[in-house]
Amino acid sequence: MLPRPPRIFEAEDVLYGRVSLEGYPFRLIYLVIALSSYYADTKIHPSDLGRVDVLLSAAELLENSGWETVAVDSGGKLICLRRRA
């Protein structure tokens, strides 16, 4: 049996084409500014502001390819997206 595909993706990987979600088998994913910040506190630090822009840009890119934003966490480090049916 093959391992399950991940549901958490780093925004830079999506934005710069290192990850393709074409043919992805699930409808819900998390997009994060970095996996390390996903597991850290939820506060935005001044050093995160540039990465938040990358996160939002990656979400906009995915919205152009059939995904929609469902929620943004209060810290701005994570976005939940759903593939449109």
Side-chain angles (χ1 to χ4, degrees):
M1 180 177 195
L2 295 174
R4 290 176 57 91
R7 287 190 185 260
I8 301 172
F9 299 94
E10 290 192 4
E12 279 191 0
D13 289 342
V14 171
L15 191 59
Y16 298 118
R18 294 188 292 258
V19 169
S20 171
L21 295 173
E22 192 171 316
Y24 184 76
F26 302 125
R27 290 190 63 213
L28 296 169
I29 61 167
Y30 281 130
L31 192 60
V32 297
I33 59 174
L35 289 176
S36 59
S37 67
Y38 173 71
Y39 297 109
D41 65 51
T42 59
K43 297 176 186 161
I44 288 288
H45 302 282
S47 64
D48 291 329
L49 295 179
R51 295 190 303 168
V52 170
D53 180 62
V54 171
L55 176 66
L56 295 173
S57 297
E60 290 172 347
L61 178 70
L62 287 174
E63 285 186 345
N64 288 332
S65 59
W67 293 83
E68 62 185 341
T69 299
V70 176
V72 179
D73 82 323
S74 61
K77 294 183 177 186
L78 177 140
I79 294 176
C80 181
L81 294 112
R82 174 180 46 224
R83 189 179 59 232
R84 290 188 282 270

